[in-house]
Amino acid sequence: MTVTPAPEAATAAAALDRPHDLVGVGIGPFNLSLAALAHGVPGGLATAFYEQRPAFHWHPGLLIEGATLQVPFLADLVTLADPASPWSFLSYLRTRERLFPFYFAEKFHIQRAEYDAYCRWVGDSLPGLHFGHQVDAVRWNPRRGLFEVDFTQLDADGEAEALGRAYTRAVALGIGTEPYVPEPLRPLADAPGVPVIHSADYLDHRDALIAAEHVTVIGSGQSGAEVFLDLLRARPAGAERIHWLARTEAFAPMEYSRLGLEHFTPDYTRYFHALPEQVRNDLVPRQWQLHKGIDADTIAAVHEELYRRTLHGGWPDTVLTPGVAVRTAGRVAATRIELHLEHVQQGTRSRLTTDAVVLATGYRERPLDRLLAGLDRYMRRDSAGRPVVDEQYRMKLDPSVTGTVYVQNAERHTHGVGAPDLGLAAWRSASILNSLTGKEPYPLPRRTAFTSFGLELREAPGIPGQQPQPTAVFQGR
């Protein structure tokens, strides 16, 4: 097949004279938020956002009936930065003539399917979004003082149709995360026809999983709990035949106290960013319950469903075991799967034979190396080889690069557990736009939490020039 220049390439000369102010790579919720808020910047910004998928879809394999967001509806694309934006969730409801039903429903946490529909409404309505466009490379052109963004326009079948290039002063990387499959299970998950799937694809395989004789769910987070609950409800009492395994020490609730939630505020983000690199590295794994636990209502629903199945005597045919690691895995005969397990606290090992496995094992940031190969020599990295990202979400580049690369949801190592949280999407987008414009199109609050996460540093009294010492900001016995 011959690949021809895209229509965008025909206007490349004009683009050189009028380069974009901002090009977004990827259109997930975070870059969609950035595009929506950029649309409202006074005076206007020249923007373009590219996404290889043909349309917006948010975790379609996990839009299980009844599953809700773990953040309030106010954590939409724009509201926490601009409540008057035409791209808010409430504006979406108004266009659908659903404001009064929503008002009477008194729903603070909306269903995932509704959030997906809202984002698709924004994606279908907002100008400057280019779906079916795969970005292949980002390079710095020192002669023009611009970034070059090469892309491939895809046809309806996902095949290359045309090539193009955009020029821009700034780039926002929002390529998101990808499903994580633990090493022992990768050969099975990659093998065709083997029923080992990631929870990201759950709904595509739901009927086959319900029909399987025995199913094992691996993972202690929200996705694992939702998949287990959905399978449990769909399988007959007394013949459930489901194992639920997890590495964590318990099927633990997510931290959802009011003060605990303040870890997802800009105040905590600033505090975390200022910590030494090694402290940040050690801190993130210890905070798993802030973002990898299970919603308390889901835990209650699981227990209620299990309890309901004991009403006429007996116990449901389910096994729920935390503290278990999968050492190795393989196939038994033609269709079954054997998991070799180790209980960490007991130091014991066992085997489990099952007909299907659902891996609710989370997501990892997509690697940036291939996409940014052309910028590699300009990038500054930390001791672990990760990009250094400043407080305003800018990659630290060589001073010779006068443009800016912003990152969205690829900065957990520098900004903490709030990086993938929807509740910080609008604030981060507004921060990026304030930085990009050098102005303040979106005034942001100076304080967002009651918690003071660190000690205030004050100059030692009576000793001018001495290094500031940690001083508690309260007095008392």
Side-chain angles (χ1 to χ4, degrees):
M1 182 188 73
T2 302
V3 179
T4 59
E8 287 86 346
T11 59
L16 286 176
D17 295 331
R18 294 179 290 103
H20 294 292
D21 296 307
L22 176 68
V23 164
V25 182
I27 306 178
F30 297 132
N31 261 359
L32 190 60
S33 165
L34 184 61
L37 287 174
H39 185 254
V41 170
L45 289 173
T47 65
F49 289 77
Y50 299 100
E51 167 61 51
Q52 65 180 7
R53 296 174 300 173
F56 183 94
H57 287 290
W58 185 71
H59 296 303
L62 279 171
L63 299 182
I64 299 170
E65 185 176 355
T68 61
L69 285 184
Q70 293 170 274
V71 292
F73 75 91
L74 291 173
D76 62 14
L77 301 174
V78 294
T79 294
L80 291 178
D82 182 11
S85 169
W87 306 110
S88 70
F89 177 71
L90 292 180
S91 294
Y92 161 72
L93 291 178
R94 183 181 60 186
T95 66
R96 295 296 190 264
E97 297 186 357
R98 296 180 57 226
L99 269 175
F100 271 91
F102 180 73
Y103 166 60
F104 291 118
E106 297 182 345
K107 297 290 187 183
F108 202 51
H109 292 80
I110 63 175
Q111 292 195 21
R112 281 207 199 120
E114 188 165 27
Y115 178 79
D116 177 65
Y118 153 65
C119 288
R120 283 190 282 110
W121 168 74
V122 176
D124 292 341
S125 309
L126 193 67
L129 306 184
H130 304 276
F131 291 95
H133 286 65
Q134 174 185 292
V135 173
D136 303 309
V138 178
R139 293 183 302 275
W140 175 247
N141 187 319
R143 185 172 64 84
R144 296 186 172 122
L146 297 169
F147 291 106
E148 299 175 346
V149 180
D150 289 345
F151 58 84
T152 302
Q153 186 173 327
L154 308 175
D155 62 21
D157 297 321
E159 298 295 329
E161 185 175 62
L163 303 176
R165 176 176 293 171
Y167 296 85
T168 182
R169 299 183 180 91
V171 175
L173 300 174
I175 61 175
T177 57
E178 59 187 3
Y180 171 72
V181 177
E183 185 65 38
L185 289 150
R186 286 179 192 172
L188 294 177
D190 293 338
V194 179
V196 176
I197 67 161
H198 194 274
S199 58
D201 301 314
Y202 171 68
L203 288 183
D204 292 337
H205 300 270
R206 183 176 183 270
D207 291 343
L209 291 167
I210 291 173
E213 185 174 348
H214 183 278
V215 181
T216 299
V217 179
I218 299 176
S220 62
Q222 183 69 18
S223 297
E226 290 174 354
V227 168
F228 176 80
L229 179 60
D230 188 61
L231 289 173
L232 181 63
R233 286 170 169 169
R235 294 166 77 89
E240 295 87 356
R241 304 211 67 201
I242 312 173
H243 269 65
W244 184 13
L245 309 176
R247 288 180 61 93
T248 54
E249 296 178 353
F251 296 105
M254 185 175 295
E255 169 59 66
Y256 210 75
S257 67
R258 298 296 188 267
L259 294 179
L261 288 175
E262 291 194 339
H263 285 84
F264 300 96
T265 59
D267 282 10
Y268 182 76
T269 299
R270 285 189 287 265
Y271 162 77
F272 183 90
H273 189 272
L275 293 173
E277 179 186 333
Q278 189 55 51
V279 175
R280 298 197 305 260
N281 292 343
D282 295 340
L283 188 55
V284 169
R286 299 204 307 266
Q287 295 178 320
W288 66 270
Q289 215 168 329
L290 287 171
H291 60 108
K292 292 185 177 180
I294 306 170
D295 175 76
D297 289 340
T298 307
I299 292 178
V302 168
H303 190 274
E304 176 63 25
E305 183 64 27
L306 292 170
Y307 175 73
R308 186 182 67 81
R309 291 168 183 250
T310 69
L311 296 182
H312 302 293
W315 289 70
D317 187 6
T318 59
V319 178
L320 289 70
T321 310
V324 174
V326 178
R327 296 174 48 248
T328 59
R331 299 183 68 170
V332 178
T335 59
R336 308 204 78 196
I337 300 155
E338 185 174 81
L339 304 175
H340 298 182
L341 309 176
E342 180 175 12
H343 195 282
V344 178
Q345 292 179 349
Q346 286 182 324
T348 55
R349 294 182 175 182
S350 181
R351 297 181 181 182
L352 171 64
T353 302
T354 186
D355 295 288
V357 176
V358 181
L359 300 172
T361 46
Y363 299 79
R364 295 292 186 272
E365 295 171 1
R366 284 194 172 93
L368 299 171
D369 293 344
R370 183 193 64 80
L371 181 65
L372 299 183
L375 295 178
D376 185 66
R377 65 192 179 101
Y378 299 108
M379 293 172 60
R380 300 294 180 259
R381 299 180 183 270
D382 65 14
S383 63
R386 300 166 300 195
V388 176
V389 183
D390 74 9
E391 190 175 340
Q392 293 179 302
Y393 301 96
R394 300 174 297 194
M395 275 190 179
K396 190 170 183 179
L397 303 174
D398 187 87
S400 64
V401 178
T402 56
T404 306
V405 177
Y406 297 96
V407 295
Q408 301 231 61
N409 194 15
E411 74 286 358
R412 188 181 306 189
H413 61 291
T414 55
H415 287 68
V417 294
D421 189 76
L422 294 176
L424 282 173
W427 180 82
R428 177 171 53 198
S429 294
S431 298
I432 290 173
L433 292 170
N434 288 350
S435 166
L436 177 70
T437 61
K439 302 175 183 178
E440 200 174 37
Y442 293 104
L444 296 173
R446 289 187 294 272
R447 182 174 180 179
T448 56
F450 292 112
T451 306
S452 298
F453 293 99
L455 295 177
E456 182 180 348
L457 298 181
R458 297 176 178 171
E459 185 173 300
I463 313 177
Q466 181 170 320
Q467 289 293 323
Q469 300 295 317
T471 304
V473 295
F474 59 89
Q475 295 179 350
R477 301 178 65 177

